[in-house]
């Protein structure tokens, strides 16, 4: 399995997700300010999802850069990640249309949690294929950030049924944390033999 | 005809099919659990189709890796395969909206059968171009798995009008069989001169 | 301007056109044979358009393979071609929904004519950049086939208002003529210094 | 961060935007000339947006060709540009459906302004990474054209509420100005050490 073709395929799928998502913003049904009002929460939810998909593209890029071998397990772990990322537009649209409802807010978190989980599984699949002394294994270490954000999504899902604005705030906060590119991996790229 | 550009074009088309298919999941018309209920069969049918398209991408990748020449016949056999794969989202949506009806279940099988058939035709076109001693010819041999699943789809199409759940079970079963990457081809890649 | 990036961008746009076009086939509004009936003309018009787009991809591929330089004029001639190709899905859908009406049949021909014309203009732009002794110039010669099919589309547009089935037959016939890859160019690729 | 993968991802997103935009032209609801009439302003607005996206693809291509390093800042500046470009189809559809209304015309200008601004920010991010003596810095100089068109969009936004046809004329005029590929950059590519 060529790493290049897996990267190209993933980039294609992520490019389609991020673009189509914004294109699904519907043309307003009037031509005045009142027609724009219901579009605002939809727009804001798309901005958050756009940042999330961009973060995944960026980190996916760095992770595959460090990967040495791509076997069938890695291929399917990658497909699993792409599946959950492709769920983002639907839940984004649902949250945007019902910005004050608990269930859409919770389901948005479920998709983020599953995407985060499948990213961790992909990481494990690559490390399992490349070995514990591989650059990726050294770069991610225990991956505290990845595990903590998974817990953060779980908390946000539960809180959606209590006070959903806290969930929304958590989603934005966890996006901001990942906004910063993974310095651990960048460090290893610069000095390939450094231990984490 | 460059093999690289055919691979890139096919990857592009398959990436669009697999992504758009999931994106066609419609945003539910309410914000409670009742609104999610009709989405469930649609979601499940999309999961099955996602796995099928992923399997085709994977096997297509391995097959073209072994191909030596790409002539006009191979180009059109590939386009024929892409045409039937691009039919998957429509029949997936139809099955998801009518999960208990015979005709959509049967038509889903027709598309799977045509995709399987066009894959076999593409395989023949490449072997016809590369010769009977080519790596691909040795790798696939009589391609019992490919022919048996074609028969399986025909049985499922017929049974859709008798007891459609058996058809659904067959579609899932045949996906699981192909889930495992084609070991014959992987074997030949590892030892290029081995006979099947 | 890199030829590779122009090819990749064109391939991307054509892959999206050919895939989305088929995906726009709507899910039928029932689950019996009667629900499938109105889908049939739509399906057939999509098959014809799929073949046309595939032909353009194939010939575009061969033409750019022979091109030596890509300047701003070539870039815009290429964009012009992509614009008319991207019009195919809309007119295909219109013809499919009104298979017995004159105007949609005629407009389908207008888009085919404009795509054919823009292809000829792109050819001229490349020859203008590469020179009259360039491989492409020798390969296409006077391009009788390209000019004759442009005339054929004009005839089909006019006949759409007299007896629209003749137009439909002409569209299918002209697709079949182009189905065969451009042997003149293939010949030049094989023997690069042959005169046309 | 590999420059190649950033270029490929951007090309993918831009190819999807430019194609989907035209595909969103809806199939008319009749088969006569009257059915085509409301489609005309939509068609014309799509032509203008198609030219804008093509210009951005072209200039983006030239700019990244001159870039030497791609860091996280450049990556996010590029994502920011892609976000505003992906807003083009929605505002294009809105302007096309309400060709005589002030607000859609103004919002179209807002998206063009934000796209122009994010392009300037991307340019600054690349120059910040490559240094003031880098080929790109020398090529763009003070970038009077980029700054003047940003001012032009602001004027057009304001005039949309006074006489919206002047805004439309300004959008077309500013597209024509950018239609000509950036000669400053082309010049530097030809003579890499020339000062602007």
């Amino acid at each position: 399995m060529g790493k290049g073709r897996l990267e190209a395929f993933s980039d294609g799928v992520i490019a389609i997700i991020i673009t189509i998502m914004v294109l699904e913003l519907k043309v307003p049904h009037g031509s005045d300010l009142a027609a724009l009002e219901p579009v605002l929460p939809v727009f804001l939810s798309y901005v958050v999802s756009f940042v999330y998909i961009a973060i995944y593209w960026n980190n996916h890029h760095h992770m595959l850069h460090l990967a040495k071998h791509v076997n069938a397990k890695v291929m399917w772990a990658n497909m699993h990640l792409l599946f959950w990322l492709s769920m983002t537009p639907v839940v984004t649209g649902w949250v945007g249309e019902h910005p004050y409802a608990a269930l859409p807010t919770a389901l948005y978190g479920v998709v983020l949690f599953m995407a985060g989980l499948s990213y961790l599984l992909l990481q494990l699949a690559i490390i399992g294929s490349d070995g514990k002394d591989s650059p990726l294994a050294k770069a991610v270490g225990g991956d505290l950030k990845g595990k903590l954000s998974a817990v953060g999504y779980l908390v946000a899902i539960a809180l959606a049924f209590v006070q959903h604005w806290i969930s929304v705030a958590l989603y934005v906060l966890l996006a901001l944390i990942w906004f910063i590119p993974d310095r651990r991996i960048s460090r290893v790229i610069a000095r390939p033999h450094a231990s984490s």
Side-chain angles (χ1 to χ4, degrees), chain A residues 16-153:
Chain A
I16 299 161
I17 292 172
I18 208 169
T19 318
I20 299 275
M21 189 170 64
V22 186
L23 293 183
E24 287 210 338
L25 261 179
K26 297 290 178 298
V27 170
H29 286 299
S31 63
D32 51 3
L33 267 178
L36 273 184
E37 218 190 272
V39 177
L40 193 70
V42 185
F43 177 78
L44 291 176
S45 62
Y46 277 113
V47 171
V48 174
S49 294
F50 190 93
V51 171
Y52 263 112
I53 302 287
I55 289 165
Y56 270 104
W57 177 74
N58 193 28
N59 288 339
H60 185 266
H61 173 75
H62 283 106
M63 183 162 66
L64 276 179
H65 186 82
L66 287 184
K68 285 187 293 189
H69 306 102
V70 171
N71 56 22
K73 215 170 175 179
V74 170
M75 197 288 273
W76 281 106
N78 192 61
M79 280 290 176
H80 184 230
L81 171 62
L82 294 179
F83 179 79
W84 288 107
L85 290 182
S86 73
M87 282 295 149
T88 317
V90 196
V91 289
T92 305
W94 207 31
V95 160
E97 285 182 21
H98 304 278
Y100 307 110
L103 195 62
T105 311
L107 209 71
Y108 188 83
V110 169
V111 168
L112 287 182
F113 173 75
M114 290 308 295
L117 186 71
S118 56
Y119 187 85
L120 287 171
L121 291 174
L122 174 58
Q123 203 166 265
L124 284 175
I126 296 174
I127 292 172
S129 158
D130 286 359
K132 288 191 178 174
D133 295 324
S134 62
L136 183 65
K138 286 177 178 166
V140 295
D143 197 3
L144 198 67
K145 195 161 103 176
K147 284 169 189 164
L148 275 184
S149 34
V151 173
Y153 297 133

Side-chain angles (χ1 to χ4, degrees), chain A residues 1-11 64 70 74-75 78:
Chain A
M1 165 70 64
K3 197 175 87 167
R5 205 176 166 190
L6 191 80
E7 283 183 314
F9 184 76
S10 306
D11 277 9
L64 276 179
V70 171
V74 170
M75 197 288 273
N78 192 61

